[in-house]
Amino acid sequence: MLLSTDIGIDLGTASILVYIKGKGVVLKEPSVVAFDRDTNQIKAIGEEARLMIGRTPGNIVAVRPLRQGVISDYTVTEKMLKYFIRKALGKKTLRKPRISVCIPSGATEVEKKAVEDATYQAGAREVSIIEEPVAAAIGSGIDISKACGNMIVDIGGGTADIAVISLGGTVVSTSVKVAGDDFDEAIVRFMRKKHNLLIGERTAEEIKIQIGCAYKRPELVAMDVRGRNLVTGLPKTITITSDETLEALREPAMQIVDAVHNVLERTPPELAADVYDRGIVMTGGGSLLSGLDALIEEKTGINTVIAEEPLTAVAIGTGKFIEFMHGQRDVE
Ligand code: ADP
Ligand code: MG
């Protein structure tokens, strides 16, 4: 028998992860593509492209083709997929791989089809498209084959996917375009309004990761932030505190809480009871915002925990989904 490879790809808006059965997550790179505006040629993909941002001549632009969870540019998505699959597999492959790809649950049928086609084009023998919350659940160690409700809240860069799943499928879900990037943007706006300071999104992300919070931290933390004074036009450094980020992040954080409420309201009573018993599991980089779990727990009254491997759960779950499906098929 020829060895075949099973691959799971997490097509995130911020990063792309590739999981290979038996090897684990072998690749994690930013979902960025740099191309030449004049010739439309791709110059770099992934980490290499990210490093080009802001450091290249004007004709080279870096785009995030999956921003906001939509496949905004089909050709670019295809090239990007091809590149990552080749890079993850290396040169010597005996047989075309079986690939499962995870896309946000809010994706349209057209987008799903686009990803499927792009994956075949990229060299897959068999393609399965899997919904993000199902992948996140498998990757968090939840047994999705049981008739029992589990709520997953996956917060990425562009979208927050919230779902109640049971028996391997999504029962109720929503996908909102409020996630990590919006936290950064909220911090940029806050700094401009409250401090007349212009900062970039990279700085905003640093603030978010270092001192940001969605729930009051037990101890106040502060950080020096450098930006441009909008009044004088000159560089300026100010100190901001975690309590200020709480104010800055209140709106997007509450939008996510509202989305969780919305899904709970639409959940059939038996499954809702399961969720109350078992709690909410959070995945994705956005779930690492300090206190977001506490905020959700306070507003819903449901015990909320962050998955053990929040950043890789979706990729692992996507890879394992193939085994799950084939397991089912073999049993049948
Ligand atoms: P996607 O699935 O959309 O590719 P990820 O799950 O990789 O997204 O999450 C990316 C988001 O997580 C980014 O907005 C990033 O700033 C945020 N993030 C990563 N680590 C942290 C952290 N420690 N605290 C807060 N946000 C974080
Ligand atoms: Mg994700």
Side-chain angles (χ1 to χ4, degrees), residues 12-15 132 155-158 180-181 205 208-209 284-286 288-289 311:
T13 58
S15 30
E132 183 139 32
I155 305 173
D181 294 343
E205 186 183 24
K208 172 183 74 178
I209 292 174
L288 293 169
L289 173 67
L311 291 165

Side-chain angles (χ1 to χ4, degrees), residues 3-318:
L3 274 178
S4 88
T5 320
D6 287 343
I7 300 178
I9 301 176
D10 170 9
L11 220 47
T13 58
S15 30
I16 293 192
L17 283 78
V18 180
Y19 168 94
I20 297 182
K21 186 181 167 183
K23 286 190 185 158
V25 175
V26 294
L27 182 149
K28 177 181 193 290
E29 291 200 35
S31 8
V32 179
V33 175
F35 64 97
D36 191 320
R37 219 187 334 222
D38 301 334
T39 62
N40 241 353
Q41 254 185 342
I42 293 185
K43 288 286 168 202
I45 296 176
E47 184 57 31
E48 208 186 316
R50 191 186 67 88
L51 292 173
M52 283 184 171
I53 298 177
R55 292 194 186 86
T56 50
N59 59 325
I60 294 181
V61 286
V63 293
R64 291 170 67 183
L66 299 152
R67 192 143 201 180
Q68 304 257 278
V70 285
I71 322 302
S72 50
D73 190 324
Y74 176 73
T75 2
V76 174
T77 305
E78 182 187 322
K79 293 224 166 93
M80 199 165 74
L81 271 168
K82 253 187 197 154
Y83 171 84
F84 286 123
I85 292 168
R86 290 216 180 115
K87 192 165 176 183
L89 280 178
K91 286 205 182 71
K92 291 165 281 172
T93 45
L94 295 169
R95 229 178 130 190
K96 284 184 167 184
R98 287 195 299 207
I99 303 182
S100 56
V101 188
C102 173
I103 56 169
S105 55
T108 62
E109 284 305 314
V110 175
E111 285 165 353
K112 257 188 217 173
K113 185 80 175 62
V115 171
E116 193 179 335
D117 290 348
T119 313
Y120 276 117
Q121 281 303 312
R125 165 166 56 100
E126 203 181 306
V127 178
S128 352
I129 300 295
I130 160 168
E131 286 185 3
E132 183 139 32
V134 176
I138 301 174
S140 308
I142 294 170
D143 180 358
I144 61 156
S145 64
K146 293 222 175 78
C148 181
N150 285 287
M151 179 178 262
I152 292 284
V153 176
D154 179 88
I155 305 173
T159 62
D161 283 82
I162 298 142
V164 171
I165 57 169
S166 176
L167 278 174
T170 302
V171 183
V172 193
S173 73
T174 191
S175 178
V176 290
K177 290 181 180 0
V178 180
D181 294 343
D182 301 81
F183 297 152
D184 303 346
E185 283 159 24
I187 291 174
V188 172
R189 278 198 304 276
F190 178 87
M191 295 303 284
R192 195 171 44 211
K193 246 171 88 181
K194 279 279 150 80
H195 296 287
N196 268 320
L197 193 75
L198 185 68
I199 59 165
E201 276 179 27
R202 288 268 287 277
T203 306
E205 186 183 24
E206 257 171 56
I207 297 173
K208 172 183 74 178
I209 292 174
Q210 281 192 34
I211 65 163
C213 58
Y215 200 90
K216 206 173 167 64
R217 286 181 184 251
E219 265 168 58
L220 192 75
V221 277
M223 171 181 173
D224 287 343
V225 177
R226 206 170 155 75
R228 184 153 52 92
N229 184 329
L230 283 166
V231 181
T232 64
L234 298 171
K236 189 185 174 190
T237 301
I238 64 152
T239 306
I240 79 150
T241 65
S242 47
D243 280 359
E244 286 182 275
T245 69
L246 186 64
E247 192 185 331
L249 297 170
R250 183 168 296 133
E251 197 185 317
M254 281 311 295
Q255 284 175 314
I256 292 176
V257 170
D258 288 345
V260 172
H261 263 292
N262 170 282
V263 170
L264 282 170
E265 275 165 17
R266 290 187 288 125
T267 303
E270 277 83 8
L271 294 180
D274 292 341
V275 172
Y276 273 88
D277 283 348
R278 305 168 65 92
I280 296 171
V281 175
M282 295 177 80
T283 59
S287 72
L288 293 169
L289 173 67
S290 168
L292 192 51
D293 48 347
L295 182 72
I296 293 177
E297 184 164 310
E298 184 187 270
K299 299 290 181 195
T300 59
I302 303 173
N303 181 40
T304 305
V305 295
I306 300 169
E308 229 164 83
E309 305 270 4
L311 291 165
T312 50
V314 170
I316 295 171
T318 305

